[in-house]
Amino acid sequence: MREFISIHKTGFRLLKKIHHVDSAIIPLHMLEIFLSLAQIYAELFLTAELIDTLLTKNFTLAMKLAAGLLLVNLFFGVAVHLIKRKFHGMKNKLWILFYVWLREKAFSLDYETMEKPEVAEKILFSERTADINGCLGVLLYHYYNILQAILNILLSVSLVVYLCMAKPIAVEGFIGSLALPLPSTLLFTCVLAGIILCSFKVFRYFSQTQKEIFDSHTGVENKLGYFINTVYGNVKAAKMIRLYGMKDMIFENTMINEKQSMAYFEKMCDVGRQEGDANKIVNSFFTIISYLLVALKTVTGAITVGAFTRYAGALNQFGNACFAIISSNGELRKICTYMKEFLAFLDMESLHEKGSIPIEKRDDGEYELAFENVSFHYPGSDKLVLKDVNCKFHTKGKLAVVGKNGAGKTTFIKLLCRLYEPTKGRITLNGIDIRKYDEEEYRRLFGVVFQDFKLFALPVWENITAGFELQEDRIWESLQQADAKELVSGMPNGLETFLYKNLEDGVEISGGEAQKLALARALYKDAPVVILDEPTAALDPKAEAEIYSHFNQMVEGRTSIYISHRMSSCRFCDDIIVFEDGRIVERGSHEELLASGAAYADIWNAQAKYYVC
Ligand code: ADP
C-alpha cells in the first residue's frame, strides 16, 4: 500500500507539472474519456432497443433507431478523432518538455554540483529510461486509461446491478431460481471477482517475468548507445577509425552489444505475446460464463432479447476495464519509479548560494579582486590543486598567469569566475566575499575564453552576441579586434552564416578560426575583465602575432588576465604571476622576474631554446 501511495504521489506531482505547463492537456483527455464512454454506452442502449424493436416488427421505429445509432457513432467518432488529433502534437510537446525540464534544471545548478558524477548519472538515467519506457505522454496515457476504466467499471457495475435485480417472469425449476435477484447477484459477484482476480494474477506473473528480464539487462543499452551515437555518429571518430583501421574492432564491439540487446527485446516481445494470449484465454472464459448468466436472465424472461446485448456488452466492458486498471497501474509503477529519480533531480539544491548583493556599477570600471589564503581541491578528489593562494589585483591592468601545465592556472580562473568555491579561504571583490554578490551580475564582470570554449550550430551573430543585445557595428568591431572580420566577411551569408552542419548547411571552421570567434564573443560582452586562457593555442604563428599586435587595443580600458604556459606570450603584460604546483611562487614584471633568476627565469630559459622570443 505504501508503494502504491508513493507511486501515485509521484504520478500526481507530474500531472500537476504537466497541467501547469499546458492547462488544456488534462481537460481535453477528460473530455475524450467522457465522449468515448458516452459512445460505448449509447451504442449498447440503442442496439438493445433496435433488436427489441425489430423483434416487435415495428420497422419505422427500428429505422429511426438505426439512424440514431449511426448519428451517435458519427458524432462521437468525429469528436474523439478531433481531440485525438490534438493529442499528437501534445505528446510531442510533453516529450520535449521532459528534456527541457532536465536541461533547465541542469543549467540552474551551480557548475560544481553539475560536474558531480552522480548528477550526470541521474540525468543520463532519466533520459535512457524515458527513451526505453516512455515519458510524460505515456504517464498521462496510463492515468487516462485508469480514469476511463474506473468510470467504465462504475457504469458497467450499475448495469449489472440492474440486471441482477430484474425478476424472471416465471420461476420454474433450478434455472428459474438461479435467475432470481439474490442468486443471480451472487453468481455475478463471483464472475466479477473472478475477472479481477485472474486479470491481476496474469498481470503479476508476466510483469514479474518482464522485470527479471529488464534487471538482467543493465548496461547493454548504454554501451550500444555509446557506439551508435558517440562512435559512429562522430566525424572526428570517423577520422581516427580510418587512420588506425579500427573499423572491425568497433564493429565487433557493437555487434556483441547488439546481440545482447536483440536477445533482450526478443525475450520481452515473447513475454508480451504470452501475456496477450493468457489475457485472451481469461477473457474468453469469463465472456462465455457472463453470456451464460445473461442468457439465463433472458430465457427466464427477466430481460428482453435486445437487453441481452446491452448487459453482455457491459460485462465485456467490465472485464476490459479491470485489465486496463491493473496493467496501467503496473506500467505507472515502472514509469514512476524512475520519474521519482527525475523529480529528485528537479528538487536538487545547488551546493552554493547564489548571493544577492548587486555589483556596484562603476563607469571607471575600477574593481579590486583578491584571493585570501585560498586552497582548493576538486569535488571527489583530495588533491589540493590550489594551495594557500594570496594575491590582489586592481582592474585596468594586464595580468599574466603563467606556469607549467597542471600548475593550477585554469583552476585559479574557474574559482575567480565562481564556477567553484574555495575549499578554504575566500575571494573578494572590493573587499566583499564574491559569494555574497548576485551570481549572474558577478559573472557579467568577466568575458572569458577557456581552452575548451564552445561555439554553437547557430548563425555567427548569435554566437557572438550570446544572448546580449544585438548591435551589428559592435559585432564587426569585436570581430576586427579578434582578427576574424575577414573570415566572417568571406562567409556565404556574413553574420547570418550558420556555423557547422548540425542544424543548417553551415560552414565548418578550423580550430584557430573558432578560437578567434570565441575571442570576439568575449570582447562583445564588453565585460570589465577579459580572461584569455591559452587564447592562441590553436592559432598559427602569424595569427598569434596579429592578436598580440593589437592586444593592447583589444583590452583597452579593461582588465585583462592572460593565461599561458608559454612565457614568451606574456611579455607584454605589466604584471606576471607564476604558478607552480598550485602555489604562487613569484610575481613581478617580465624584467624583474628574469632578473630574479628563479622559477620564471628557469622556464623562460628552458623555453627560449624552442621558441623565438
Ligand atoms: P593548468 O591550467 O595550469 O594547466 P589546471 O588548473 O587545469 O592546470 O589543473 C590543475 C590540476 O587540477 C591538474 O592536476 C588537473 O589534473 C586537476 N584538475 C583539473 N580539472 C579537474 C577536475 N574537473 N577534477 C579533478 N581534477 C581536475
Side-chain angles (χ1 to χ4, degrees):
M1 191 60 190
R2 206 181 292 160
E3 192 204 7
F4 179 84
I5 294 172
S6 150
I7 285 166
H8 293 290
K9 228 165 111 183
T10 306
F12 276 42
R13 219 186 121 191
L14 288 164
L15 288 181
K16 232 165 102 183
K17 275 184 89 62
I18 293 172
H19 186 64
H20 190 70
V21 173
D22 189 335
S23 55
I25 294 182
I26 293 177
L28 269 178
H29 269 85
M30 304 264 252
L31 184 63
E32 198 216 330
I33 290 175
F34 291 123
L35 290 174
S36 304
L37 285 176
Q39 183 179 14
I40 292 169
Y41 284 90
E43 231 179 81
L44 284 182
F45 274 87
L46 284 172
T47 315
E49 283 305 310
L50 182 62
I51 293 170
D52 284 342
T53 315
L54 282 173
L55 287 174
T56 58
K57 298 207 167 91
N58 183 349
F59 296 114
T60 326
L61 185 61
M63 289 287 280
K64 282 181 188 162
L65 283 169
L69 192 62
L70 208 72
L71 280 176
V72 161
N73 264 324
L74 196 70
F75 170 74
F76 286 117
V78 170
V80 170
H81 171 77
L82 288 177
I83 295 177
K84 277 204 166 128
R85 240 177 46 178
K86 255 195 132 20
F87 285 167
H88 284 303
M90 282 180 181
K91 265 193 195 147
N92 209 16
K93 181 175 170 178
L94 288 177
W95 186 267
I96 293 166
L97 205 63
F98 171 79
Y99 289 93
V100 170
W101 282 343
L102 262 181
R103 296 295 163 205
E104 257 178 9
K105 179 66 194 181
F107 281 127
S108 77
L109 287 173
D110 59 53
Y111 187 74
E112 195 171 332
T113 312
M114 179 63 205
E115 221 195 24
K116 283 180 159 188
E118 61 265 32
V119 174
E121 232 168 69
K122 268 200 170 89
I123 300 177
L124 266 180
F125 177 75
S126 295
E127 284 183 351
R128 287 295 301 161
T129 36
D131 282 348
I132 294 172
N133 295 319
C135 201
L136 298 172
V138 183
L139 175 113
L140 196 60
Y141 166 77
H142 287 297
Y143 271 113
Y144 156 86
N145 254 358
I146 287 182
L147 181 63
Q148 183 169 32
I150 290 173
L151 293 176
N152 209 349
I153 284 176
L154 288 177
L155 286 169
S156 55
V157 167
S158 8
L159 276 181
V160 172
V161 170
Y162 193 77
L163 169 68
C164 291
M165 292 306 130
K167 289 195 181 99
I169 293 169
V171 185
E172 278 170 17
F174 179 64
I175 301 253
S177 54
L178 280 184
L180 283 168
L182 189 64
S184 52
T185 306
L186 279 175
L187 282 173
F188 276 109
T189 310
C190 288
V191 170
L192 299 188
I195 296 177
I196 297 174
L197 199 75
C198 288
S199 303
F200 185 68
K201 285 235 173 251
V202 167
F203 176 78
R204 212 170 60 178
Y205 172 77
F206 286 103
S207 65
Q208 186 58 33
T209 316
Q210 280 176 336
K211 188 175 176 306
E212 278 162 22
I213 300 171
F214 181 78
D215 288 347
S216 65
H217 184 65
T218 48
V220 176
E221 293 307 315
N222 272 352
K223 286 182 201 158
L224 194 60
Y226 168 75
F227 282 110
I228 291 175
N229 301 327
T230 315
V231 179
Y232 285 104
N234 183 321
V235 182
K236 280 185 194 154
K239 233 186 293 168
M240 272 314 137
I241 292 167
R242 280 169 180 75
L243 283 172
Y244 287 87
M246 292 158 77
K247 195 176 107 231
D248 291 342
M249 182 196 86
I250 289 177
F251 189 65
E252 267 168 37
N253 271 300
T254 311
M255 287 322 283
I256 292 169
N257 290 297
E258 204 260 347
K259 266 190 201 139
Q260 290 178 24
S261 173
M262 278 300 287
Y264 163 76
F265 283 110
E266 272 169 18
K267 262 195 228 164
M268 280 297 207
C269 284
D270 278 348
V271 175
R273 249 193 316 271
Q274 287 162 11
E275 187 180 7
D277 291 344
N279 274 318
K280 267 186 213 147
I281 293 169
V282 169
N283 240 339
S284 312
F285 176 71
F286 282 102
T287 306
I288 292 167
I289 297 186
S290 311
Y291 278 29
L292 284 177
L293 290 179
V294 183
L296 185 78
K297 286 280 194 181
T298 319
V299 293
T300 55
I303 56 167
T304 61
V305 176
F308 175 89
T309 51
R310 180 165 64 225
Y311 294 116
L315 277 159
N316 220 358
Q317 288 298 321
F318 180 85
N320 290 341
C322 285
F323 178 71
I325 289 188
I326 293 165
S327 74
S328 281
N329 190 55
E331 290 301 316
L332 282 172
R333 195 175 66 187
K334 239 192 296 180
I335 297 171
C336 288
T337 308
Y338 70 81
M339 281 293 185
K340 209 169 160 181
E341 290 288 315
F342 163 70
L343 287 177
F345 174 68
L346 295 192
D347 288 339
M348 205 166 196
E349 296 282 343
S350 279
L351 274 177
H352 307 305
E353 285 185 23
K354 295 201 178 286
S356 56
I357 305 181
I359 301 281
E360 186 194 355
K361 301 271 178 303
R362 296 188 63 118
D363 289 340
D364 58 6
E366 289 278 357
Y367 296 95
E368 184 196 80
L369 287 153
F371 276 60
E372 297 176 5
N373 304 316
V374 171
S375 296
F376 176 75
H377 63 73
Y378 279 98
S381 151
D382 292 335
K383 185 185 150 201
L384 277 182
V385 175
L386 294 182
K387 298 165 192 160
D388 232 358
V389 172
N390 279 290
C391 67
K392 193 179 267 189
F393 46 96
H394 292 272
T395 47
K396 295 281 177 79
K398 288 200 288 284
L399 175 76
V401 180
V402 299
K404 291 180 190 155
N405 275 332
K409 306 179 295 290
T410 303
T411 308
F412 172 76
I413 297 303
K414 284 184 189 165
L415 260 69
L416 182 66
C417 297
R418 236 170 113 177
L419 292 176
Y420 296 92
E421 281 195 2
T423 313
K424 214 182 99 219
R426 63 176 201 155
I427 304 167
T428 61
L429 170 70
N430 296 342
I432 298 173
D433 194 323
I434 59 171
R435 284 174 278 212
K436 297 201 169 131
Y437 289 108
D438 176 86
E439 193 181 53
E440 265 186 40
E441 275 200 32
Y442 177 78
R443 291 227 178 96
R444 265 187 228 134
L445 293 178
F446 303 94
V448 194
V449 184
F450 279 114
Q451 285 174 58
D452 53 353
F453 65 88
K454 179 110 187 77
L455 294 173
F456 300 95
L458 292 169
V460 172
W461 71 266
E462 268 194 288
N463 271 292
I464 306 295
T465 56
F468 289 95
E469 194 194 344
L470 168 66
Q471 289 175 356
E472 203 173 320
D473 48 340
R474 280 197 51 233
I475 298 183
W476 285 114
E477 200 183 309
S478 309
L479 286 169
Q480 177 152 27
Q481 287 176 342
D483 193 28
K485 193 174 173 189
E486 245 175 72
L487 165 73
V488 177
S489 317
M491 287 182 181
N493 297 313
L495 291 176
E496 294 291 341
T497 312
F498 270 79
L499 295 186
Y500 313 122
K501 303 208 181 279
N502 310 51
L503 300 184
E504 297 277 332
D505 188 19
V507 291
E508 290 295 345
I509 49 175
S510 72
E513 289 167 339
Q515 203 158 23
K516 285 179 183 178
L517 292 183
L519 194 56
R521 174 172 63 190
L523 296 172
Y524 185 83
K525 193 176 173 188
D526 202 20
V529 185
V530 178
I531 302 177
L532 310 175
D533 187 356
E534 302 277 5
T536 53
L539 299 184
D540 56 61
K542 190 169 162 276
E544 186 178 355
E546 282 282 324
I547 299 264
Y548 289 157
S549 68
H550 49 238
F551 189 78
N552 280 342
Q553 178 207 342
M554 205 159 78
V555 297
E556 198 185 352
R558 313 173 200 189
T559 308
S560 63
I561 304 179
Y562 191 91
I563 307 160
S564 183
H565 65 276
R566 276 182 62 181
M567 305 295 157
S568 60
S569 55
C570 305
R571 259 192 323 188
F572 55 87
C573 294
D574 355 283
D575 190 7
I576 301 173
I577 289 178
V578 186
F579 264 90
E580 210 172 79
D581 191 24
R583 289 180 201 280
I584 295 182
V585 289
E586 266 183 287
R587 183 168 181 176
S589 67
H590 170 70
E591 289 71 24
E592 284 165 358
L593 292 175
L594 261 193
S596 76
Y600 181 85
D602 282 350
I603 313 174
W604 172 273
N605 291 328
Q607 288 185 354
K609 291 182 206 153
Y610 305 104
Y611 301 113
V612 182
C613 301

